[in-house]
Amino acid sequence: MSVALIIVDIQNDYFPNGRMELSNPVEAADHAGKILEWFRQNNPNIFHVQHISNHEGATFFLPNTEGVKINEAVLPLEHETVITKSTPNSFFQTDLEAKLRGLEVTKLVIVGMMTHMCIDATVRAAMELGFSCTLIEDACTTRDLPYRDKIVPADQVHYAFVSALNGVYANVISTEEFLKQEANSILKNN
């Protein structure tokens, strides 16, 4: 069993003064940075996913803007792989699956943004492709969502989605749980 870290869309537009600011992005990115640091010390299979909006009417992650850049909290090193995508699913019309298969990866650790969109789509696709997934829930975040005359708060959106993914689609745990428990089992099984 080989494992890889997938960091999804931790990009500047999701941070304060970005075009699509999320709830607590700095805190989520800090947690993602801790997971990234663990992988850098223990496992070289690191994939950064960067969303670049190429559809008409897009308002964020626009090409050649500051907002499309990967945030400094998880900035890729020169030898780390960056996968670009233009849809919520990190596998759709990208070479992510092929690269993972080439490394004989069977297990994914996933962090990133937005929980209700790109994280949800990527985790579900990964499971359907046969990967075993661990989702680090506090290394993810989202935003308030409007529906008709209601606003669903970001924390409710986040927990609704991670609780729906937990069990069937992923093992959902915290950064602390990963670093104390899951990381040890990964090292033993590699």
Side-chain angles (χ1 to χ4, degrees):
M1 174 189 78
S2 184
V3 64
L5 173 64
I6 311 295
I7 304 170
V8 181
D9 300 353
I10 301 184
Q11 295 168 240
N12 289 336
D13 268 342
Y14 283 152
F15 288 78
N17 303 313
R19 294 176 186 221
M20 181 57 71
E21 187 175 341
L22 301 184
S23 175
N24 301 314
V26 174
E27 181 180 341
D30 286 346
H31 287 294
K34 290 175 185 173
I35 302 297
L36 174 58
E37 188 55 36
W38 184 90
F39 269 84
R40 285 178 172 161
Q41 292 175 16
N42 296 285
N43 184 318
N45 298 333
I46 298 169
F47 293 83
H48 300 262
V49 179
Q50 181 182 30
H51 192 112
I52 300 175
S53 296
N54 62 8
H55 64 276
E56 192 173 325
T59 59
F60 63 102
F61 292 163
L62 302 175
N64 306 311
T65 64
E66 212 36 53
V68 79
K69 293 179 181 175
I70 294 173
N71 187 265
E72 63 186 0
V74 293
L75 208 56
L77 298 179
E78 192 172 306
H79 66 278
E80 294 171 354
T81 303
V82 177
I83 303 288
T84 58
K85 67 177 180 70
S86 60
T87 68
N89 176 353
S90 298
F91 292 93
F92 185 68
Q93 296 179 340
T94 73
D95 60 353
L96 178 58
E97 181 185 6
K99 288 186 181 295
L100 293 170
R101 302 274 187 224
L103 295 169
E104 299 182 357
V105 168
T106 58
K107 182 168 184 156
L108 305 178
V109 175
I110 300 173
V111 301
M113 302 174 179
M114 290 190 282
T115 313
H116 76 280
M117 190 61 67
C118 298
I119 295 302
D120 182 65
T122 296
V123 169
R124 289 174 186 270
M127 182 274 214
E128 290 168 355
L129 291 169
F131 295 101
S132 171
C133 298
T134 296
L135 177 63
I136 312 297
E137 65 89 5
D138 59 356
C140 300
T141 191
T142 192
R143 64 186 183 96
D144 295 349
L145 290 180
Y147 178 72
R148 297 191 185 200
D149 62 342
K150 307 217 181 308
I151 298 291
V152 183
D155 65 329
Q156 290 180 20
V157 173
H158 176 77
Y159 288 112
F161 274 82
V162 298
S163 63
L165 292 171
N166 190 40
V168 174
Y169 288 96
N171 175 31
V172 178
I173 61 175
S174 70
T175 298
E176 183 179 1
E177 288 171 316
F178 175 84
L179 294 175
K180 284 185 176 177
Q181 301 163 8
E182 186 76 6
N184 288 330
S185 70
I186 286 172
L187 287 175
K188 286 178 191 171
N189 292 321
N190 269 339

